[in-house]
């Protein structure tokens, strides 16, 4: 459970990232992001390596690997490609661009879905009993993190965010957001 607690602390540190962005503290933003992400990564590795294993069938591991690749690709795309990396994670202050197209037309926080799929894939691959306990905690913390961002930080960071909140659901796509997602894909190809 110590490693689960370290992961929870990593989420807390990552939550400070948005505060540092708003306060425009120089050089602290990338430091907070690296420390929080590092704590999460260390926690996940150690939880996956825990000795107690689930009695899952062999095919579950084979299913886990493609899910891992898909979830990592979509998570990376959502968090580091769709939004401007340098302005979001490196430079002082907040990013100046609200992204509302692509996966962000579907829901306001698509990374939650891909992180959840990532957790499932790790359970299937590692068969870790401890991860079966830690994954729901980490997913819940991710949801709490985006709820805090949505309610308190992003409204202050991005012009037009309130309108975006009215148009795009937070986590569960609806017919309107699915159509907006499809239209944004069509526009990006044109």
């Amino acid at each position: 459970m110590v490693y689960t607690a370290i992961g929870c602390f990593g989420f807390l540190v990552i939550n400070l990232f948005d505060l540092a962005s708003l306060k425009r503290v120089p050089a602290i933003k990338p430091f907070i992001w690296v420390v929080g992400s590092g704590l999460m990564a260390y926690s996940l590795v150690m939880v996956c390596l825990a000795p107690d294993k689930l009695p899952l069938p062999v095919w579950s591991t084979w299913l886990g690997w493609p899910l891992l690749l898909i979830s990592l690709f979509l998570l990376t795309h959502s968090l580091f490609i769709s939004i401007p990396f340098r302005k979001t994670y490196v430079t002082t202050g907040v990013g100046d661009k609200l992204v509302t197209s692509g996966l962000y037309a579907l829901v306001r926080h698509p990374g939650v879905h891909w992180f959840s799929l990532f957790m499932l894939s790790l359970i299937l691959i590692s068969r870790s009993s401890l991860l079966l306990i830690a994954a729901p905690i980490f997913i819940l913390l991710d949801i709490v993190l985006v709820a805090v961002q949505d309610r308190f930080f992003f409204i202050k960071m991005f012009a037009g965010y309130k309108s975006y909140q009215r148009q795009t659901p937070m986590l569960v796509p609806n017919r309107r957001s699915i159509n907006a997602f499809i239209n944004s894909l069509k526009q990006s190809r044109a």
Side-chain angles (χ1 to χ4, degrees), residues 33-175:
W33 184 79
V34 167
V35 169
S37 298
L39 287 168
M40 274 299 306
Y42 173 73
S43 167
L44 284 173
V45 167
M46 297 311 290
V47 167
C48 286
L49 294 175
D52 293 335
K53 299 298 180 185
L54 298 167
L56 296 175
V58 173
W59 62 261
S60 67
T61 302
W62 290 101
L63 176 63
W65 285 108
L67 286 177
L68 178 74
L69 295 175
I70 291 167
S71 63
L72 278 177
F73 171 78
L74 291 169
L75 186 61
T76 301
H77 194 278
S78 295
L79 298 178
F80 305 119
I81 297 170
S82 291
I83 57 178
F85 177 81
R86 187 167 182 75
K87 288 183 180 180
T88 303
Y89 298 102
V90 180
T91 59
T92 301
V94 299
D96 59 354
K97 182 180 176 193
L98 175 63
V99 177
T100 60
S101 60
L103 294 170
Y104 288 91
L106 193 59
V107 291
R108 295 192 306 268
H109 301 280
V112 171
H113 298 283
W114 315 134
F115 180 72
S116 300
L117 188 61
F118 176 67
M119 290 289 102
L120 174 62
S121 70
L122 286 180
I123 290 169
L124 294 174
I125 293 167
S126 72
R127 301 178 185 192
S128 170
S129 298
L130 184 54
L131 187 57
L132 192 60
I133 296 166
I137 294 169
F138 293 160
I139 292 167
L140 179 63
L141 286 172
D142 193 29
I143 293 168
V144 168
L145 172 65
V146 298
V148 168
Q149 288 174 325
D150 204 73
R151 179 150 167 81
F152 299 108
F153 292 112
F154 289 172
I155 289 173
K156 295 176 184 174
M157 291 178 168
F158 302 109
Y161 197 78
K162 284 188 178 189
S163 173
Y164 179 53
Q165 285 177 315
R166 286 189 298 275
Q167 294 173 356
T168 308
M170 184 169 157
L171 292 173
V172 180
N174 59 28
R175 180 181 291 181

